[in-house]
Amino acid sequence: MQSATGSSPAPGHDGASCAPPAQGEPYLLTPGPLTTALSTKEAMLRDWGSWDGDFRAMTAQLRSSLLDIAGNEAGEYDCVPLQGSGTYCVEAMLGSLVPRDGHALVLANGAYGKRIATTLGYLGRAQTVLDKGDYLPPRAAEVERMLDADPSITHVVAVHCETSSGILNPIEEIAAVTAAKGRKLLIDSMSAFGALPLDVRDIACEAFVSSANKCIEGVPGFGFVIARKRALHDARGRSHSLALDVHDQWDVMNRTGQWRFTPPTHAVAAFMEALRLYRQEGGQPARLARYANNRDVLVAGMRELGFEPLLSARWRSPIIVTFFSPAHPSFSFERFYALMKEQGFIIYPGKLTVVESFRIGCIGQVDEHVMRRVVNACASSLQAMGVDHAAPSTAAIEERKLPGEAA
Ligand SMILES: *Cc1c(COP(=O)(O)O)cnc(C)c1O
């Protein structure tokens, strides 16, 4: 267990298995950037030459570690790290892997699905959007109908965990129907990979993307595309953008071991330590178990205060939970946010189109002890605002039920 050497533990630390952030630093209950381990931060205290052999070795190890997590036993896939935030990698994947005369079916149920559609618009690719609103997952049967109805669709683009609501989309059934219909699947697994299973032996996909600052618990600075080698070959000359050309980044990295342009050296070094901690914890199953426990402790505690989660338990991810804002007239999110921050917790505003909500992340170096303290901090924040019950308006709950919660 990492201890906060050189500084005293954060106030209120109660012997949790995740070390607290440095003194005075709040917990980030946000799905990336998130609270990282002290040793991950410490790994950034040295400078690296970008073309030096030591850094090239680190890049090679990073790629093979990620391929191991993805279950690339057959060696069919390769990993292409790319500078920038996750969105840069999504755009790079779309621009490099969807041919200019391709046609993408976008499965959207929140902001990140919509961002994919916007990106395809910038890229001038033909697209059809299945928009499920804020609460419901795209299901295999409707994807099948859409693929049957339009033979020109070449690719399905899906979001694994839609972080804007916290909905965990049924990626297994989407992958199965996409493969059965002879189409190619591209996945935005940004906030899921590393915690939720995404094994290329079980989930047939052409490619997926994730980034350093989500479930592997690194710091922001780069993302990575994991794609079939055949798809990477075929992507040659297709990208609209030099910087976002996945084929070119792959080709140069394979030939020289280097990133094409200045790599985020410190973020890569931090990621190597994050990967070491990931393996030490027990890899994907252990991480999923910790996050799921975080979610369960959080939801149970918040319910006791009267809060109601947006999603039914079936679709509620272990990544982030959306709660309805209380209907009480004295509740204000700005005030709530400030009171939570005073107590050492940064929470997230809602990102829904219709109802008032806020979000609390379950990922990063936090465990159930931290989650109990989060619930206590919510209770005292409500008390400070004079909100004696956190129940949402019945209108908010009804609104959620409109599209057919039973689906
Ligand atoms: C975080 C995230 C992204 C990328 O967002 P950036 O701000 O560009 O890092 C994309 N999709 C999903 C589902 C995400 O959670």
Side-chain angles (χ1 to χ4, degrees):
M1 269 329 89
Q2 188 62 48
S3 65
T5 43
S7 66
S8 47
H13 179 52
D14 55 5
S17 65
C18 292
Q23 194 171 27
E25 193 183 319
Y27 281 100
L28 300 182
L29 301 170
T30 54
L34 37 64
T35 294
T36 57
L38 183 66
S39 62
T40 297
K41 289 183 262 256
E42 282 171 347
M44 292 185 284
L45 292 175
R46 118 159 225 202
D47 304 317
W48 300 84
S50 63
W51 58 264
D52 182 74
D54 293 343
F55 185 72
R56 278 186 286 173
M58 219 147 68
T59 298
Q61 208 193 329
L62 174 149
R63 295 173 70 195
S64 67
S65 298
L66 290 171
L67 287 166
D68 284 348
I69 298 171
N72 182 44
E73 240 170 32
E76 252 184 90
Y77 290 77
D78 210 345
C79 172
V80 188
L82 198 72
Q83 298 93 329
S85 84
T87 304
Y88 291 64
C89 288
V90 174
E91 183 163 335
M93 172 177 74
L94 296 172
S96 301
L97 299 193
V98 180
R100 294 189 185 197
D101 61 354
H103 179 175
L105 171 61
V106 180
L107 310 181
N109 52 351
Y112 292 103
K114 287 193 176 133
R115 189 178 294 174
I116 287 168
T118 305
T119 306
L120 286 166
Y122 269 76
L123 298 175
R125 299 294 194 273
Q127 61 173 311
T128 300
V129 180
L130 171 64
D131 188 351
K132 299 290 292 183
D134 284 335
Y135 326 116
L136 294 174
R139 301 305 305 267
E142 56 196 332
V143 173
E144 180 171 28
R145 275 196 299 278
M146 294 185 81
L147 293 179
D148 282 342
D150 193 341
S152 75
I153 294 171
T154 54
H155 290 72
V156 173
V157 191
V159 180
H160 195 169
C161 172
E162 177 45 84
T163 323
S164 53
S165 65
I167 193 165
L168 183 56
N169 286 319
I171 202 71
E172 294 81 2
E173 67 176 52
I174 291 165
V177 72
T178 302
K181 294 289 163 186
R183 309 316 217 284
K184 290 166 176 162
L185 178 64
L186 304 177
I187 307 172
D188 172 353
S189 189
M190 210 68 66
S191 63
F193 179 68
L196 277 311
L198 205 185
D199 188 310
V200 293
R201 289 166 294 190
D202 306 325
I203 296 178
C205 64
E206 189 78 343
F208 71 86
V209 287
S210 185
S211 69
N213 58 291
K214 304 261 169 144
C215 298
I216 308 286
E217 302 184 353
V219 304
F222 67 96
F224 44 91
V225 181
I226 290 185
R228 287 191 200 274
K229 288 177 182 168
R230 190 193 30 70
L232 291 167
H233 269 293
D234 293 350
R236 182 166 182 201
R238 195 184 275 153
S239 179
H240 60 296
S241 156
L242 170 68
L244 299 180
D245 186 340
V246 178
H247 171 85
D248 200 40
Q249 179 91 336
W250 176 61
D251 185 48
V252 170
M253 218 171 245
N254 281 353
R255 285 189 288 106
T256 68
Q258 291 176 39
W259 303 53
R260 285 177 304 166
F261 314 119
T262 303
T265 47
H266 298 76
V268 170
F271 195 72
M272 301 314 290
E273 172 61 10
L275 279 170
R276 191 188 67 76
L277 296 174
Y278 180 79
R279 283 188 292 265
Q280 179 179 289
E281 184 175 355
Q284 179 267 322
R287 193 135 297 185
L288 176 59
R290 175 161 60 84
Y291 291 171
N293 193 36
N294 286 350
R295 172 200 59 199
D296 294 344
V297 166
L298 173 71
V299 169
M302 293 294 274
R303 276 217 159 111
E304 270 177 45
L305 302 178
F307 284 104
E308 194 50 45
L310 168 79
L311 297 168
S312 63
R314 180 168 179 198
W315 304 115
R316 207 181 293 142
S317 72
I319 305 300
I320 186 165
V321 182
T322 299
F323 294 97
F324 290 113
S325 291
H328 198 287
S330 302
F331 181 84
S332 128
F333 178 75
E334 288 67 34
R335 188 82 207 289
F336 186 56
Y337 179 91
L339 289 161
M340 290 298 288
K341 184 174 176 185
E342 266 171 37
Q343 295 170 87
F345 302 106
I346 301 284
I347 61 169
Y348 229 32
K351 213 177 192 175
L352 302 181
T353 42
V354 188
V355 296
E356 289 287 314
S357 63
F358 64 91
R359 294 176 290 167
I360 296 184
C362 306
I363 66 179
Q365 281 289 296
V366 294
D367 58 16
E368 62 179 294
H369 303 279
V370 177
M371 290 328 240
R372 286 203 186 88
R373 289 173 45 208
V374 173
V375 172
N376 290 340
C378 285
S380 24
S381 301
L382 290 182
Q383 203 177 12
M385 284 186 284
V387 175
D388 57 7
H389 201 267
S393 69
T394 46
I397 298 216
E398 284 311 308
E399 164 63 37
R400 171 184 61 173
K401 284 185 180 145
L402 275 180
E405 180 67 353

